[in-house]
Amino acid sequence: MTTAVPHDVSFNFVPRAYRPAKPRSFGITEIRAPYYNTFGTRHLQDVFDVAGNWVDGIKWAGGSFALLPTEQVKAFSDIAHNNDAYVSSGGWIETVLRYGDDAVDQYLAEAKNVGFDVIEISTGFIMLNTSGLLRLVEKVTKAGLKAKPELGIQIGSGGDSGEAELAAESKKDVGDLISRARQCLDAGADIVMIESEGITENVTEWNTGAAASIINGVGLENVMFEAADGPVFEWYIKNYGNEVNLFVDHSQVLQLEGLRQNIWGNKSTWGRVINPAP
């Protein structure tokens, strides 16, 4: 049982769990662009030189792209595109929405100009009704970009809110998230990002039941989970296999891919990740 490796790798006589070549429609790994770690195009090129086979897309978090010169943002996009990876915005449309429809139109036009392929429509900080969310999905797709709604069960999620702050807020019903996700997909969304707060982040106990309900209700291939913590992405692969779509930090690509391919792990996952080649 060997994997279909996109490019030659060393020690390829050792069998691996199956991983399709890029562009992938499942088992996607999206990585964080500069945000918590400040780095430039040379560093990003290094990441792709080392692990480009296993990076499907990059995401700018928290509007960090708005702090860089336009040409530098374009340079990041060029590196991603040259390595068959997409470029996604992260949470920031919540900020733009406060300034009206014209600002949203300008945002989408500028996003295309700097080479973005995907617009994340985050809802953690704002009270956005479903009809408004669906109109945003349609606006993004009409602009020639892919829409990626980000949904969660924790009110006030996003950014760097602390556990105590979020504990003071209430949580949403997971059934509502599932309903909104399905409607977004029907409206043309490409995939739905699932916010980690309230599930595996800033909680005293992981809400694994919510993750299971989302996967069962929306479909594994239609959702991507925030999982930028080793125990978290290991849990998803341990429970749902190596075809789960995950967002991680750029520093975690090889650790995650080693787990996906079954070449390493820890006591609970070592040698157990199996996916027969088609």
Side-chain angles (χ1 to χ4, degrees), residues 42-59:
R42 290 181 293 274
H43 186 90
L44 182 68
Q45 186 62 63
D46 282 343
V47 172
F48 276 105
D49 286 346
V50 172
N53 289 344
W54 320 120
V55 177
D56 298 281
I58 68 171
K59 180 174 89 165

Side-chain angles (χ1 to χ4, degrees), residues 37 48 55 83 110 122 126 140 165 262:
N37 293 296
F48 276 105
V55 177
N83 288 275
E110 180 78 358
S122 302
I126 56 177
V140 169
E165 292 176 289
N262 197 32

Side-chain angles (χ1 to χ4, degrees), residues 17 19 27-29 237 242 244 256-262 273:
R19 291 281 283 145
I28 294 170
T29 295
I237 291 178
N242 71 357
V244 62
L256 171 58
E257 190 60 35
L259 185 58
R260 285 193 191 273
Q261 292 191 31
N262 197 32
V273 180

Side-chain angles (χ1 to χ4, degrees), residues 69-274:
T70 299
E71 291 306 314
Q72 192 165 31
V73 181
K74 287 181 177 179
F76 275 90
S77 297
D78 289 342
I79 291 171
H81 293 154
N82 290 339
N83 288 275
D84 299 317
Y86 63 81
V87 181
S88 174
S89 70
W92 203 52
I93 202 167
E94 308 99 310
T95 295
V96 179
L97 280 166
R98 291 184 297 163
Y99 302 104
D101 289 341
D102 288 346
V104 173
D105 291 338
Q106 291 179 57
Y107 173 57
L108 297 180
E110 180 78 358
K112 290 189 71 173
N113 179 54
V114 298
F116 286 9
D117 309 290
V118 181
I119 298 297
E120 187 169 286
I121 306 172
S122 302
T123 62
F125 279 138
I126 56 177
M127 306 298 107
L128 181 64
N129 57 34
T130 301
S131 61
L133 175 60
L134 297 180
R135 286 194 294 274
L136 281 176
V137 169
E138 292 169 356
K139 182 183 280 285
V140 169
T141 56
K142 285 180 179 178
L145 296 157
K146 293 182 178 180
K148 181 177 62 177
E150 182 181 43
L151 304 177
I153 61 172
Q154 175 65 62
I155 295 175
S157 62
D160 301 307
S161 302
E163 184 175 331
E165 292 176 289
L166 294 179
E169 300 278 2
S170 59
K171 288 185 173 63
K172 303 174 186 176
D173 180 73
V174 70
D176 175 68
L177 184 154
I178 293 168
S179 174
R180 282 158 66 92
R182 288 173 173 170
Q183 291 180 72
C184 285
L185 292 167
D186 289 341
D190 186 64
I191 198 168
V192 177
M193 176 70 81
I194 305 300
E195 181 71 68
S196 57
E197 278 102 337
I199 299 179
T200 58
E201 184 181 354
N202 287 335
V203 291
T204 55
E205 185 176 344
W206 287 1
N207 190 349
T208 56
S213 295
I214 292 165
I215 289 171
N216 292 333
V218 185
L220 186 69
E221 71 281 6
N222 293 320
V223 292
M224 176 180 292
F225 291 93
E226 287 190 340
D229 188 49
V232 174
F233 64 68
E234 182 189 39
W235 180 85
Y236 277 112
I237 291 178
K238 180 179 177 180
N239 285 273
Y240 297 104
N242 71 357
E243 294 183 356
V244 62
N245 303 311
L246 298 171
F247 168 70
V248 299
D249 188 71
H250 77 282
S251 63
Q252 299 168 316
V253 177
L254 292 182
Q255 181 186 6
L256 171 58
E257 190 60 35
L259 185 58
R260 285 193 191 273
Q261 292 191 31
N262 197 32
I263 68 170
W264 200 244
N266 64 23
K267 183 172 70 69
S268 66
T269 53
W270 191 87
R272 297 181 180 182
V273 180
I274 305 298

Side-chain angles (χ1 to χ4, degrees), residues 13-35:
F13 59 89
V14 178
R16 302 148 190 251
Y18 172 72
R19 291 281 283 145
K22 291 165 62 175
R24 284 180 278 268
S25 58
F26 55 84
I28 294 170
T29 295
E30 184 174 283
I31 65 170
R32 185 185 288 116
Y35 184 62

